[in-house]
Amino acid sequence: MNVDSVPEVFLLDRLPYNPAMRVIDQGIMNRLFEVTDEIPLDREAIQVPLVMEGEGKVARAKNGRIEITLPDTDDLGPFLAALPERLRELG
């Protein structure tokens, strides 16, 4: 296969390594789903950026889905504990 014919999205190994960028994994997604499933909030109603950022945020995206950006921290407990209330406030 000619690498030049592969879509750029599949060439992630060509991106510069950024150790400061933290990306969520399946374990983190499962912790988030534990909270959203309990509400209950349909998994199709949310979108979660793969990069953890700042203090995290909960907002309504232009497409109507709820966007949950997880905070860039090792301790997600406080964010996840506050998430149900933040989602209720969002409506």
Side-chain angles (χ1 to χ4, degrees), residues 12 15 18-25 28-29 47-57 67-73 76 79:
L12 296 178
L15 296 175
N18 183 353
M21 183 187 307
R22 295 176 46 153
V23 179
I24 63 174
D25 60 21
I28 293 172
M29 277 304 299
Q47 60 188 42
V48 183
L50 294 178
V51 176
M52 299 167 81
E53 189 175 312
E55 302 291 318
K57 71 176 184 173
E67 183 173 293
I68 302 171
T69 303
L70 295 170
D72 187 8
T73 182
L76 293 174
F79 181 86

Side-chain angles (χ1 to χ4, degrees), residues 19-82:
M21 183 187 307
R22 295 176 46 153
V23 179
I24 63 174
D25 60 21
Q26 190 59 49
I28 293 172
M29 277 304 299
N30 288 341
R31 289 182 63 196
L32 175 65
F33 286 149
E34 286 176 14
V35 174
T36 58
D37 288 350
E38 184 71 25
I39 291 175
L41 180 62
D42 188 329
R43 293 181 181 190
E44 296 297 320
I46 63 173
Q47 60 188 42
V48 183
L50 294 178
V51 176
M52 299 167 81
E53 189 175 312
E55 302 291 318
K57 71 176 184 173
V58 178
R60 178 111 15 221
K62 290 181 183 179
N63 63 9
R65 288 180 162 177
I66 297 170
E67 183 173 293
I68 302 171
T69 303
L70 295 170
D72 187 8
T73 182
D74 289 327
D75 184 10
L76 293 174
F79 181 86
L80 294 175

Side-chain angles (χ1 to χ4, degrees), residues 1-12:
M1 177 190 298
N2 181 350
V3 175
D4 294 328
S5 67
V6 176
E8 193 171 317
V9 71
F10 294 111
L11 300 176
L12 296 178

Side-chain angles (χ1 to χ4, degrees), residues 75-89:
D75 184 10
L76 293 174
F79 181 86
L80 294 175
L83 186 57
E85 181 61 31
R86 293 178 76 175
L87 289 168
R88 278 190 283 280
E89 291 171 0

